[in-house]
Amino acid sequence: KKKFYFKTSINPPFTSYIGPWIHNSIKNDYEISSITNYLINELPKFNYIDLKLDYNSNNWLPFYWNGYLQTDTYSIVIKNLIDNVSVIKKFNDTNKRMIKKAEKKKLKFCTNVAVDEFYKNHTYFLKKLGKKINYDFISFKILYELCKENKCGSSFAIKDQNDNVISIAFIVWDHHTSYMILNSTDTDHRNTGCTQFLIKNILNYLKN
């Protein structure tokens, strides 16, 4: 991005992680460092950069050598979605209680939520928190349609008894991993258990 003469480089929209990708057949630390260093030097000129590296990245020394600063962040990674029953059993008591609460309220789990409905609700939920949505509708529509075409992603929602959307998530996947890249809940419905109920149902959906 460019503002006046100031150039910033950040993760593209809907991209949780970025950074060097090196084939897992390359094991030698020196070779990995050399490749990473080469890629760093190929980056375009910038005044500021913010890279959120993949959680599997375990060698950031080349970044350090090039003057970068590093901060740890955390991701929740569930290793085995096939055994979703065991995963759900490991939820803490509060989350289990919230799921039961949602089931008693007869909340509805929906898949393939229309692109405009998803965007409208995400915008509305954020507005109630005093925040602005950080992606535009056209970009999201392109992502949505490509995921649908390639069968590698879907939109999900929880609706209340009046058919109002109260919690949403957008998931993308490949042959190995699923990623939750968007997730939001209506602040007025947080105590209904809709978020936990949404996660439980998405795990059931993804298990195969």
Side-chain angles (χ1 to χ4, degrees), residues 39-165:
L39 292 170
I40 290 168
N41 289 324
E42 287 296 302
L43 288 168
K45 289 183 179 179
F46 54 83
N47 301 103
Y48 173 81
I49 191 166
D50 183 11
L51 298 173
K52 292 178 176 65
L53 298 182
D54 184 272
Y55 60 87
N56 289 308
S57 299
N58 54 13
N59 183 4
W60 87 281
L61 273 175
F63 287 95
Y64 174 73
W65 295 332
N66 281 277
Y68 288 74
L69 300 174
Q70 181 260 350
T71 304
D72 286 336
T73 57
Y74 295 89
S75 297
I76 296 169
V77 180
I78 299 170
K79 292 289 186 183
N80 184 7
L81 295 184
I82 293 169
D83 188 9
N84 68 312
V85 174
S86 293
V87 171
I88 293 163
K89 275 183 180 176
K90 289 176 184 174
F91 283 11
N92 65 31
D93 290 341
T94 302
N95 286 329
K96 286 177 183 173
R97 195 161 56 247
M98 293 302 270
I99 289 167
K100 284 181 181 175
K101 196 174 181 181
E103 288 169 344
K104 282 180 183 175
K105 287 181 175 288
K106 296 184 178 176
L107 300 183
K108 293 175 280 186
F109 174 65
C110 308
T111 60
N112 298 312
V113 180
V115 63
D116 52 344
E117 186 180 13
F118 189 100
Y119 189 83
K120 180 189 77 176
N121 280 288
H122 199 187
T123 304
Y124 175 62
F125 296 163
L126 290 172
K127 189 178 179 182
K128 289 175 86 170
L129 290 166
K131 297 178 181 179
K132 283 186 178 180
I133 200 158
N134 63 355
Y135 60 93
D136 62 272
F137 177 71
I138 299 299
S139 299
F140 180 61
K141 190 178 180 184
I142 291 167
L143 173 72
Y144 181 97
E145 288 173 352
L146 283 170
C147 285
K148 204 169 181 180
E149 183 184 329
N150 292 289
K151 297 178 181 175
C152 63
S154 190
S155 51
F156 302 89
I158 297 296
K159 292 185 177 181
D160 64 14
Q161 300 92 328
N162 299 316
D163 229 30
N164 298 311
V165 173

Side-chain angles (χ1 to χ4, degrees), residues 168-197:
I168 53 171
F170 194 81
I171 312 289
V172 296
W173 57 78
D174 56 26
H175 295 299
H176 307 288
T177 311
S178 302
Y179 300 90
M180 179 184 281
I181 60 170
L182 296 171
N183 175 226
S184 190
T185 294
D186 188 336
T187 51
D188 293 340
H189 294 272
R190 279 182 177 168
N191 290 326
T192 63
C194 60
T195 306
Q196 293 87 342
F197 190 57

Side-chain angles (χ1 to χ4, degrees), residues 22-39:
I22 299 170
H23 197 277
N24 56 18
S25 63
I26 299 170
K27 306 288 186 188
N28 183 285
D29 285 342
Y30 176 78
E31 199 173 354
I32 291 169
S33 293
S34 297
I35 293 166
T36 306
N37 195 58
Y38 169 80
L39 292 170

